[in-house]
Amino acid sequence: MSPGVYLGAAGFGMIAVCYGFARFAFGLFLPQIDTDLALSPTLSGFISGGSFLGYCFAIILSAYLTEQIGARAVAIGAALVAAVGMAGIAMAPSPQLLASAVMLAGSSTGLASPPMAAAVAAAVRPDRQSVTNTIINAGTGAGVVLSGPVALLMGGQWRLAFACFAVAAFVMAVAAALSVPGGTRATQTPGGLPPFNRVIMRLIAAAFLMGASSTAIWSFGGKLAALQLGWGNTGAGLLWIAIGAAGIVGASAGTLVARFGIDRVHWLFLGALATGILLVGTSATTPLLTLGGGMLFGAAYIMLTGVYLVWGVTALPNRPATGLMIGFLTIAIGQTAGAPLFGFLMDRLTPDYAVLVFACLAFTAGLARANSAILKPAPKATSSAQEISHLNDSN
């Protein structure tokens, strides 16, 4: 296989572990964690929000470090941080220490994405980069779908589950060391913050609103299933399997954007996201509707993150790590704000009202349109790739 194929496979696995296990599995095991550590919905929301907050700081640092020291070191660091964070979750004796471990584990996802984008820019030819990036991004779905059977097999043993996840993260650190190219520093001197033109500002608005709405399921999906259907570990595990399996469809985001444009794909899957939230979270749901809603949500979420990835990277083609960072950071900021807000609405109103409000947030994200987002490689992209390839050969 070519180096690009190895990179795609390793990146897919890295994202599966960091996003699927270290970040989103917390919502799957939340009902059991609640029982063991006596967490209220508001406190659960703040702890989950802490995971997203850790991500926010980490992705900024990751984009900077990737441009300074290269992708390989940052990717290895991401996997090791995930391993330590998830080991901390497995051993946490109190809500306070749990919150710290959840934040550390969640920060690994921020560290993981920018080096993967930079590595793709170095190792993959320009006309295949969007497709490869969105395939790697779809690793989130694989991680989520794998966490479901783990929950089914281990029942309420959430500590043992996170210990197994920590081992998987360590294995991915070794895989990153073997497959991610080392000489992926920016070919131009990094210029600090990029220009915040209309394309970037619309990306920020859309990603923030979508990220906030997604916390209805990522942070509270297991709890909503328990409240609305009386589901325990088995039901929540099946829901996560449905979300993750459908999320793998998000690998086609790059292909769909190239064919139909960002705005059409964006609107379509925002509608699917909102519908999925409503089907899972309202009191009128049934087991079949909940699983169907989970599939809609999973496919839509991964597709939308792929859309924002392409939107950011193509808007800043000579700084792919920074382009990805802007969209993904804004998603996480929305999730940081959304998780505690959803928990607050559940406490003060009812789950149905909270779900309806957050479904509407998804639709408002469609008001931000990409319009003139650049969807072509920069004129010097090919020569830049050749320069980076030369750096790789020298390493």
Side-chain angles (χ1 to χ4, degrees):
M1 291 190 294
S2 69
V5 174
Y6 280 116
L7 175 63
F12 186 89
M14 172 78 74
I15 297 303
V17 168
C18 290
Y19 280 79
F21 294 168
R23 187 174 177 191
F24 292 130
F26 179 76
L28 170 61
F29 291 97
L30 183 56
Q32 294 83 48
I33 297 173
D34 277 350
T35 300
D36 290 350
L37 298 180
L39 307 179
S40 68
T42 299
L43 181 56
S44 298
F46 275 105
I47 291 176
S48 182
S51 171
F52 300 131
L53 181 62
Y55 176 97
C56 294
F57 288 112
I59 197 169
I60 296 172
L61 178 63
S62 180
Y64 173 78
L65 290 177
T66 298
E67 291 183 341
Q68 295 296 317
I69 65 175
R72 182 186 295 154
V74 181
I76 294 170
L80 293 177
V81 167
V84 173
M86 290 189 287
I89 293 174
M91 296 183 291
S94 67
Q96 292 77 16
L97 292 177
L98 175 69
S100 299
V102 168
M103 179 178 287
L104 182 63
S107 69
S108 71
T109 55
L111 293 172
S113 292
M116 289 298 106
V120 168
V124 180
R125 68 178 191 263
D127 63 309
R128 295 288 301 169
Q129 288 177 9
S130 290
V131 172
T132 304
N133 273 322
T134 53
I135 288 173
I136 291 174
N137 185 58
T140 300
V144 171
V145 77
L146 287 173
S147 66
V150 171
L152 293 176
L153 290 172
M154 297 186 179
Q157 300 299 315
W158 58 273
R159 294 184 186 276
L160 180 58
F162 276 100
C164 293
F165 294 159
V167 172
F170 181 78
V171 171
M172 288 314 306
V174 176
L178 296 175
S179 61
V180 177
T184 51
R185 293 181 293 275
T187 56
Q188 299 175 352
T189 302
L193 291 175
F196 284 86
N197 54 33
R198 290 184 178 181
V199 173
I200 296 297
M201 293 304 296
R202 289 168 179 163
L203 168 61
I204 290 171
F208 177 86
L209 292 168
M210 192 284 288
S213 69
S214 72
T215 57
I217 303 301
W218 285 132
S219 297
F220 291 91
K223 193 152 192 169
L224 287 170
L227 287 171
Q228 306 293 22
L229 297 172
W231 279 4
N233 298 332
T234 300
L238 290 174
L239 174 61
W240 243 245
I241 291 171
I243 291 172
I248 297 173
V249 173
S252 63
T255 301
L256 290 178
V257 166
R259 182 170 182 179
F260 299 108
I262 288 177
D263 290 326
R264 290 181 180 177
V265 177
H266 190 212
W267 262 111
L268 175 63
F269 286 96
L270 285 172
L273 188 83
T275 303
I277 292 171
L278 291 171
L279 289 176
V280 171
T282 59
S283 57
T285 194
T286 66
L288 186 60
L289 288 177
T290 293
L291 293 177
M295 293 181 72
L296 268 178
F297 175 85
Y301 181 85
I302 305 302
M303 186 70 69
L304 289 167
T305 57
V307 167
Y308 299 142
L309 188 160
V310 173
W311 191 337
V313 169
T314 54
L316 296 172
N318 293 321
R319 298 182 64 186
T322 299
L324 178 145
M325 179 270 288
I326 291 172
F328 280 26
L329 169 63
T330 311
I331 293 171
I333 292 173
Q335 290 167 329
T336 302
L341 177 59
F342 191 90
F344 176 82
L345 291 176
M346 282 185 66
D347 267 345
R348 295 296 185 271
L349 300 173
T350 67
D352 279 16
Y353 278 112
V355 165
L356 181 60
V357 168
F358 274 61
C360 290
L361 280 179
F363 281 114
T364 60
L367 298 176
R369 299 175 62 84
N371 288 338
S372 60
I374 303 168
L375 293 176
K376 300 177 181 178
K380 296 183 180 181
T382 301
S383 61
S384 296
Q386 292 171 346
E387 291 172 20
I388 297 174
S389 178
H390 176 71
L391 284 172
N392 293 342
D393 293 338
S394 66
N395 287 343

